[in-house]
Amino acid sequence: MLVLAKVALGLGATLAMTTAYVFHEGVIRVDVDESRPGGSHVHFWVPATAVSAGMRVARLAPQHPLELAAEQAKPYLPVFRALAKELQKYPNAEFIDVTDEEQHMHIGTVNGKLHIDVVGDDKTVHVQVPVETLMDVAGRLEDASRSARAEGWHARHAKPVFASE
Amino acid sequence: MNLSTRGFLKAAATLALALFALAPAASLAQAATDTDQWIHIRVTSRDAKGEVVRINVPIEMAEKVLPAINKDRLHDGKVRIESGQVKDVDLRAILDAVRTAKDGEYVTVQSNENNVRVSKSNGMLYIIVTDKEHVKKAAAKEDSAKGEKASAPVESKVEIKVPIKVVDALLSAGKDELDLVAALRALSAHGDTELVTVKDAENDVHIWIDSKNSTE
């Protein structure tokens, strides 16, 4: 009985630790609702830690999809990183608000999360991303971009040039 | 496992849990202070849709993000001016003349199309442009719409108020460049101020600086 209690305590503690770790960065939430007939309704939430972990795993893949993403996002990475870093200083702020008779768009931060909300006559979109996750993503993309350069990504992925061309 | 080891493990587990739980709160602790200056832009459309755009940007954020944008003429927080645009006009000399001159009105242009006034007072440069053509066009539109009563024509008026120190900072980069980051720093140091007001038949535009993080 005592052994069972110890095992239960161990499992409980592990579960609590895992849950705390998984959610310590917060949750990414996306809600999309189309009010037209047959419109789509998408609702999902992902622990932000899963994104970081996913990016770590992606670097192990043979095709290295992160390098491709990093190369495509390269021109915007410095701005993305600077913006994410600065956003951390403004956990509760209203940045952009556009209202007209058909829709309302709002971009701001609430409790350290970037909120993007668009409420229109026919569509509603709500996106919430922890600012910390944006920093993490920017950092990992920059790392991937650096390693792509170091490993000669362009040389490996350049289209072959034929003599006749 | 003896009692002291068990106690130590319990304490370690509790501490680890607390650290994980408090990690986001710790990052929020770096939050900006209430004294940060914000640039606010508000555009209110006068049309039937009544579109209202509100943009609030912390000056510090703009200072940090601008140098990261390298596109077209914008590099390292500076805008390159084509030499053709300032041909035969020595901006620095003009600014220096305005800065060292006494307070007063320097330019007054009154014509059928518009009125322009440039003046200096208490370290601020004022530029006021009133476009009369806009009023005429609106009146003509009203005439052409027979039977339909158009709204009263509104003259287009642009008022710009810039601290001289900001203009100085803007021109501090070099001959063919405007230093936006230096100008932002100077603006931030200046405190709360109105910068631009534009009123015409289509839109009201208002740009100002204060320490509030929302428009209203």
Side-chain angles (χ1 to χ4, degrees):
Chain A
M1 195 65 184
L2 194 66
V3 175
L4 272 177
K6 278 182 179 174
V7 170
L9 184 70
L11 280 174
T14 311
L15 194 66
M17 291 280 282
T18 311
T19 310
Y21 176 73
V22 166
F23 289 96
H24 83 282
E25 268 187 40
V27 171
I28 296 171
R29 193 173 164 172
V30 178
D31 296 300
V32 180
D33 288 295
E34 289 179 327
S35 52
R36 65 182 167 80
S40 59
H41 298 272
V42 180
H43 300 269
F44 73 87
W45 60 265
V46 186
T49 318
V51 175
S52 316
M55 290 181 97
R56 259 180 239 136
V57 172
R59 294 203 66 183
L60 302 174
Q63 291 294 318
H64 208 333
L66 210 56
E67 280 186 0
L68 176 65
E71 278 303 303
Q72 284 171 346
K74 200 172 147 188
Y76 312 103
L77 282 180
V79 181
F80 181 39
R81 191 175 174 79
L83 203 57
K85 195 177 171 187
E86 286 304 303
L87 277 175
Q88 283 191 313
K89 296 177 188 167
Y90 304 92
N92 290 292
E94 187 183 296
F95 295 109
I96 300 174
D97 188 279
V98 182
T99 313
D100 67 17
E101 64 177 9
E102 284 158 10
Q103 66 174 15
H104 178 215
M105 193 265 280
H106 179 264
I107 300 176
T109 51
V110 179
N111 296 327
K113 276 186 181 179
L114 179 69
H115 282 227
I116 301 170
D117 301 303
V118 182
V119 179
D121 287 347
D122 57 345
K123 194 183 272 183
T124 305
V125 179
H126 297 288
V127 178
Q128 296 179 17
V129 186
V131 173
E132 208 179 327
T133 308
L134 295 178
M135 270 294 287
D136 201 25
V137 169
R140 289 194 189 286
L141 284 175
E142 277 188 339
D143 286 348
S145 177
R146 267 194 293 272
S147 72
R149 236 174 296 151
E151 291 165 19
W153 189 89
H154 285 292
R156 278 187 281 128
H157 293 80
K159 285 180 185 170
V161 179
F162 300 104
S164 58
E165 283 180 5
Chain B
M1 200 185 297
N2 62 29
L3 271 176
S4 61
T5 315
R6 210 178 290 167
F8 173 75
L9 282 175
K10 270 184 189 172
T14 312
L15 186 69
L17 264 174
L19 279 175
F20 281 126
L22 292 175
S27 67
L28 297 186
Q30 301 169 350
T33 60
D34 289 342
T35 54
D36 278 353
Q37 295 291 101
W38 290 64
I39 299 181
H40 303 279
I41 302 169
R42 189 175 63 203
V43 182
T44 310
S45 173
R46 289 178 192 266
D47 67 9
K49 281 189 173 181
E51 193 175 33
V52 181
V53 178
R54 296 187 187 95
I55 299 173
N56 310 302
V57 183
I59 293 186
E60 198 191 330
M61 179 189 277
E63 275 177 32
K64 298 278 167 59
V65 174
L66 263 177
I69 304 172
N70 289 303
K71 184 129 176 88
D72 300 330
R73 291 179 189 175
L74 184 60
H75 284 273
D76 303 320
K78 293 167 189 162
V79 179
R80 215 178 313 115
I81 314 165
E82 294 294 318
S83 55
Q85 287 180 317
V86 286
K87 198 180 176 184
D88 300 331
V89 178
D90 191 341
L91 273 176
R92 207 166 304 279
I94 293 173
L95 172 77
D96 210 41
V98 171
R99 192 180 49 206
T100 50
K102 287 178 185 172
D103 284 5
E105 197 157 311
Y106 297 111
V107 180
T108 308
V109 178
Q110 287 186 312
S111 70
N112 286 336
E113 285 107 41
N114 47 44
N115 291 350
V116 181
R117 285 178 57 206
V118 179
S119 60
K120 183 194 161 193
S121 175
N122 297 324
M124 303 288 278
L125 183 70
Y126 295 86
I127 302 164
I128 300 170
V129 181
T130 310
D131 184 6
K132 293 176 185 171
E133 277 294 294
H134 214 85
V135 185
K136 284 181 189 169
K137 279 177 193 165
K141 203 176 172 183
E142 191 180 11
D143 289 343
S144 64
K146 287 174 186 173
E148 283 180 33
K149 197 175 179 182
S151 57
V154 179
E155 66 180 11
S156 170
K157 191 171 186 178
V158 179
E159 291 181 12
I160 302 171
K161 184 180 161 188
V162 192
I164 297 279
K165 280 183 182 172
V166 174
V167 185
D168 265 345
L170 201 61
L171 296 172
S172 65
K175 198 188 169 194
D176 298 329
E177 281 184 330
L178 297 177
D179 193 336
L180 297 181
V181 173
L184 283 171
R185 263 184 222 126
L187 262 180
S188 179
H190 191 269
D192 297 5
T193 187
E194 298 277 326
L195 290 175
V196 179
T197 310
V198 180
K199 280 184 182 182
D200 66 19
E202 286 142 22
N203 298 302
D204 281 357
V205 181
H206 187 196
I207 304 175
W208 75 102
I209 285 177
D210 64 26
S211 53
K212 291 176 193 162
N213 72 352
S214 64
T215 312
E216 251 59 62

